[in-house]
Amino acid sequence: MKRKLFCMVCMTFLSCYLFAGGNSESEPVYHGSEGKITFYLSGPEKMVNEIENAFEAKHDGNDVLDVFHSGCGPLRQKVWMEMEAGQIYADVFFGSNPVIFHILKDRGVLHRYISPQEDFLKGEYHDGDGYFPIVNLRYVVLVYHKDLENQDMAPMSYADLLKPEYLGLMAYTDPAQSSTSFAYTSALWELYERSNGFFAGMKENRVLIVPKSKMVADKILSGEIGVGISPFDAVFRGNRIAKKTGMDPVLAIAWPEEGAIRIERPIAIIKNSARPAVNQALAEELIDFMLSEEGQAITAKYGFYPVRENTTVPAGLHMEVENYIGIDWLSVWKSEQEVRAGFTEAMRK
Amino acid sequence: MKLSVPGKLRSDPWTVIYASAIILILLPVVYPLFNLFVHAFSFILSQKVHVFEGGSVPGFNLTDTLCALKNSILISLAATAIALLAGGALAWLIVRTDIPFKPLIRRLIFLTFCVPSYVLSICCLEIFGTNGFLHNLFMYLGAGKYQISPYSMFFVSLVMGIHLYPLVFFAVSNALSKAGRTLEDAAIQNGASRPMAIITVTMPLILPTILSTALFVFSRTMANYEVPAKLFSPLYRETMTTRIYGAITALDIPYASVLSFILVLISGLALIMQFVLLKNKRQIAVTSSSGSGPRILPLGKRRTLVVVSVMVFIGLTTLVPLGVLFISSILKRWGMEIVLSNFTLDNYRNIIFHNGTAARAFWNSLVYGAVSASIAAFLAISITWMTHYKKISGKRIIEFLASSPMSFPTMVLALGAVLAWSSGWLVLYNTPWIIIITYTALFLPLALKNISGLIRNLDPGLETAARVSGAPPLRAFLNVTLPLIFSGVKSSWMICLLIAFREIPIGLMLHTTGTETVGVLLFNMRSNSGDLESTSAIAVIVILLSVFGSTLAGRWRKKEGISV
């Protein structure tokens, strides 16, 4: 009886081992249904709904998009976990920052597609290699509560945030949880001569760490903190929501003297040889749509800067931002661990 | 008397059911965890040199890991102390003294039990935050600069302690009731004073219960992710669970597996110690079950003071947080002045009628919870019936495997599921089934514990009589045993369903479009949109559902004669 029991246990673990080991090598499988593609994207929920409705309206209202919407960090995490597990389920992936797209391209999981709409993009954006065209831009700015103006405490530069007058008043987004924050943390790392001096200074000012980049604006709006670093679009939407709900739009923006940090938001088709032709065509159409005048206008309504010439933008969106800090994404990719470790070290002090 | 053919499994329907049950246990429990351990050990073996050098591997930092472990242990110890102190003292007052309003106090403690830990942490922010109610009170009273911050280890421990003290209360009050008065009275008759009799006789009787509940509270606090994520992460401090989530977010799955493995080892150790303590407790309970209930001690002159203290404590830990939550849920926007003109029911209206995701999340939690609870109940019945009535080999292993998820943090179960079901021979990732199968693993130990208690209390002779009268095994079970335990099974099913409405990490890591659960809704609404008023409204609905469901489950349990 004991021998039987022993054999049973061994068989159980052997089967588990074989099945577990069988994960790494598998043929590409298409998990979606024909005529409907899966679209992973980050951004405000209303924008996502508007994109979905507008794209489906172009297909006679047919349900051709299966949308997964999440924050940029969790979205990046989902794509990564799926890739590690063997296959990315998305047909099209939009959002986050270009680092993950560089990695995906490097791993050979992106499909190359040059959209005819790229001809209408601004000079620096229509010369891509077709793996992940840029759809729009985020500018990272200083945001503060309007009351600080009355107290002569409005910040003008990133360096201002290190002044003792902001002690306990500031929030910053965790670069480990938000890929947007990771992007501007890398830019600040470069700005401060590849050191964590800026973050150590923030820590001395008892900075509060939040998981999502838009929560900085939310916390200022609710009065919990007074100042922080935030993407412009989050502030833009925060004030709009405040007005709608009858609150004072108390969020004020300062374009930093050092320059606003510019983050590109790419889009890409995931390579899958098992994808039906009709779905491949839909994925390409979706790229075209996001770069079209209509697609660009939708995202601009929510505070994202368009990359297409002559796009209609809402009031409050400066069409051209001249004083900005660009990011070398390949360099960011290479120094990712260094930046993360530097930030962590500063915050652990 | 044992039923059926003793000694062997024969070709009856139960053999088929039992074999299916074993496969169904292997699928949700063993296979994902095995995948997790394979990942963890592959990482350790490939990086062992670096690991012992103290963190030269990107992402892995031994110092930070030890710091996270230390934080987890400190928080868990503090929360356990708070829960023991509050739960133990209240249990003593309710069972052993003549304190008035006992039913009311019990109901209020039960209400605390119904509030999910994440919701309590939101209440904590609403009360103690720099723009919270206490801050506003300070400003209104002109009481000087407000310097309380809810972001601290103290508040994490406090929230966890408050969240879990009802468990200590239920367990200790149950043990105190069963301890009876005979032994204590005998000690007094032999010359011991009342305090000495309590210390030397009653306390040792309930000590195993106290210790095992303390271990349970400790391991639950170690496994909690939501509260440290809300109240500790803003300081850039970590616990083991937030570090696991951080590793996953940083795309470091192997490292997350290693951390999960460490956490499982600690929780597993706590579980084993708990089993050992409870085994001792059973022996003591048998010897002390005779005699009438515990002797009630008069509080005397201190009665009013004690009642006021208890009511203040329960008011601060239950009524104030719930009141704050309710007010937030009817505010137009969090941060607005609390005046009638700023109140609205739109938050509820939006969730119930206009927010498609919210309605879907409630429906999903209901369906996934119901399906998983049903599968778990079926498995628990099959396993218990077979292990109780049949002499079969390996039954202890099966019971152990089925109970093992009890020691795993839900985040670990979710990570195991991602690794197991994302590719390979059976792909469940991005489907509702990955959540259902993981919920099944989560519910199985609970269902097994409840249902095995019911079946073991039944006289096997009842079913034997049915068999002697000509009923086949399945019919004998369906017509005799099942009706006798059905209310208890329903109660267990309901408790599992309620867990589905408050569980966060599994839903958070395994959901996709269309498979959002209430936990995902609660966590994301607050994290993504800062929409505290809508989050509060959802939390109020979840608490109402929990109260309703738990009351129903309690009634069903009473029918079976099981004390809550």
Side-chain angles (χ1 to χ4, degrees), chain A residues 1 4-5 8-9 12-13 16-17 19-20 22-23 26 31 40 45 66-69 71 73 76-78 80-82 84-86 89 100 174 176-177 203 207-209 212 214-215 218-219 221-225 241 245-247 337 340 343-344 347-349, chain B residues 8 26 30-31 34-35 38 58-59 64 130-131 151 225 230 233-238 243 245-246 248-253 332-336 355 357 393-394 397-398 415 418-425 427 429-430 509 511-513 526-530:
Chain A
M1 188 61 77
K4 269 188 189 174
L5 183 62
M8 200 174 86
V9 173
T12 303
F13 285 98
C16 281
Y17 181 76
F19 283 131
N23 283 354
S26 54
H31 295 284
Y40 285 5
E45 193 170 351
D66 198 357
V67 171
F68 178 82
H69 163 233
R76 178 173 173 263
Q77 170 193 327
K78 184 176 172 69
W80 188 266
M81 285 207 299
E82 289 178 1
E84 288 286 291
Y89 283 66
I100 181 85
D174 184 2
Q177 296 190 59
K203 178 64 184 176
V207 65
L208 197 68
I209 302 296
K212 315 277 177 192
K214 80 171 290 294
M215 281 181 78
D218 285 333
K219 283 192 179 290
L221 201 60
S222 69
E224 193 177 341
I225 53 159
I241 292 169
T245 49
M247 287 181 90
Q337 294 302 335
R340 285 188 195 284
F343 184 85
T344 304
M347 290 299 144
R348 290 269 188 271
K349 279 178 186 169
Chain B
K8 294 277 182 186
L26 293 179
V30 181
Y31 181 58
F34 198 83
N35 265 274
V38 166
D64 286 350
T130 45
N131 59 339
Y151 302 108
Y225 164 72
K230 193 95 285 188
S233 296
L235 298 173
Y236 215 74
R237 294 281 180 268
E238 289 177 315
R243 194 158 173 79
Y245 193 75
I248 296 167
T249 312
L251 315 179
D252 200 345
I253 308 297
K332 283 180 182 168
R333 188 157 176 97
W334 171 246
M336 282 180 139
N355 186 333
T357 312
S393 53
I397 292 177
I398 297 298
L415 182 59
V418 170
L419 296 171
W421 307 117
S422 296
S423 62
W425 62 286
V427 177
Y429 191 69
N430 269 357
M509 285 176 64
H511 83 283
T512 186
T513 315
R526 175 70 186 127
S527 301
N528 285 346
S529 60

Side-chain angles (χ1 to χ4, degrees), chain B residues 278-402:
Chain B
L278 283 175
K279 198 177 166 190
N280 292 340
K281 179 199 153 196
R282 276 189 210 105
Q283 290 163 356
I284 294 162
V286 171
T287 60
S288 61
S289 60
S290 57
S292 51
R295 192 170 295 284
I296 302 296
L297 306 173
L299 285 169
K301 287 178 185 170
R302 291 159 296 182
R303 198 166 181 239
T304 314
L305 181 68
V306 172
V307 173
V308 171
S309 307
V310 168
M311 288 303 177
V312 166
F313 173 78
I314 292 177
L316 288 176
T317 55
T318 309
L319 299 180
V320 170
L322 289 179
V324 164
L325 194 72
F326 179 69
I327 290 172
S328 306
S329 75
I330 55 171
L331 266 180
K332 283 180 182 168
R333 188 157 176 97
W334 171 246
M336 282 180 139
E337 205 181 338
I338 302 168
V339 290
L340 208 58
S341 59
N342 285 338
F343 287 162
T344 177
L345 286 176
D346 281 353
N347 299 323
Y348 287 95
R349 201 174 292 127
N350 287 339
I351 288 165
I352 297 168
F353 300 110
H354 303 302
N355 186 333
T357 312
R360 194 166 63 207
F362 274 97
W363 175 250
N364 286 345
S365 286
L366 179 70
V367 173
Y368 304 161
V371 174
S372 310
S374 305
I375 298 172
F378 167 78
L379 288 173
I381 290 171
S382 312
I383 294 163
T384 312
W385 195 90
M386 294 302 286
T387 51
H388 187 55
Y389 288 103
K390 300 270 186 187
K391 277 187 180 175
I392 50 162
S393 53
K395 65 180 183 181
R396 292 246 177 257
I397 292 177
I398 297 298
E399 276 182 328
F400 173 77
L401 288 176

Side-chain angles (χ1 to χ4, degrees), chain A residues 109-164:
Chain A
V109 297
L110 296 187
H111 172 80
R112 187 163 184 264
Y113 169 67
I114 297 179
S115 166
Q117 296 291 334
E118 287 196 32
D119 294 341
F120 303 98
L121 306 187
K122 290 176 196 170
E124 56 194 300
Y125 301 113
H126 67 72
D127 199 23
D129 57 9
Y131 283 103
F132 51 93
I134 306 301
V135 171
N136 51 33
L137 309 170
R138 299 182 99 171
Y139 283 102
V140 179
V141 295
L142 296 166
V143 55
Y144 59 92
H145 198 288
K146 273 185 181 163
D147 282 357
L148 293 184
E149 281 172 0
N150 305 331
Q151 300 164 37
D152 231 8
M153 278 174 65
M156 303 300 288
S157 65
Y158 299 116
D160 279 353
L161 296 181
L162 308 185
K163 290 179 180 170

Side-chain angles (χ1 to χ4, degrees), chain B residues 349-514:
Chain B
R349 201 174 292 127
N350 287 339
I351 288 165
I352 297 168
F353 300 110
H354 303 302
N355 186 333
T357 312
R360 194 166 63 207
F362 274 97
W363 175 250
N364 286 345
S365 286
L366 179 70
V367 173
Y368 304 161
V371 174
S372 310
S374 305
I375 298 172
F378 167 78
L379 288 173
I381 290 171
S382 312
I383 294 163
T384 312
W385 195 90
M386 294 302 286
T387 51
H388 187 55
Y389 288 103
K390 300 270 186 187
K391 277 187 180 175
I392 50 162
S393 53
K395 65 180 183 181
R396 292 246 177 257
I397 292 177
I398 297 298
E399 276 182 328
F400 173 77
L401 288 176
S403 307
S404 61
M406 192 188 285
S407 65
F408 301 140
T410 45
M411 184 174 286
V412 175
L413 287 175
L415 182 59
V418 170
L419 296 171
W421 307 117
S422 296
S423 62
W425 62 286
L426 181 60
V427 177
L428 300 176
Y429 191 69
N430 269 357
T431 71
W433 288 104
I434 191 166
I435 300 178
I436 290 171
I437 204 166
T438 313
Y439 275 178
T440 304
L442 179 70
F443 299 158
L444 189 56
L446 185 72
L448 192 65
K449 191 167 182 282
N450 282 327
I451 293 169
S452 68
L454 296 170
I455 290 186
R456 282 179 215 287
N457 283 337
L458 287 181
D459 181 0
L462 292 170
E463 220 172 284
T464 310
R467 294 295 308 278
V468 168
S469 305
L474 196 57
R475 179 163 295 278
F477 173 79
L478 292 175
N479 288 358
V480 177
T481 308
L482 192 59
L484 287 170
I485 61 165
F486 193 63
S487 294
V489 174
K490 274 196 297 184
S491 155
S492 165
W493 183 89
M494 178 59 81
I495 289 167
C496 293
L497 182 65
L498 292 178
I499 293 172
F501 275 97
R502 50 205 286 178
E503 188 285 327
I504 292 179
I506 291 176
L508 199 64
M509 285 176 64
L510 303 180
H511 83 283
T512 186
T513 315

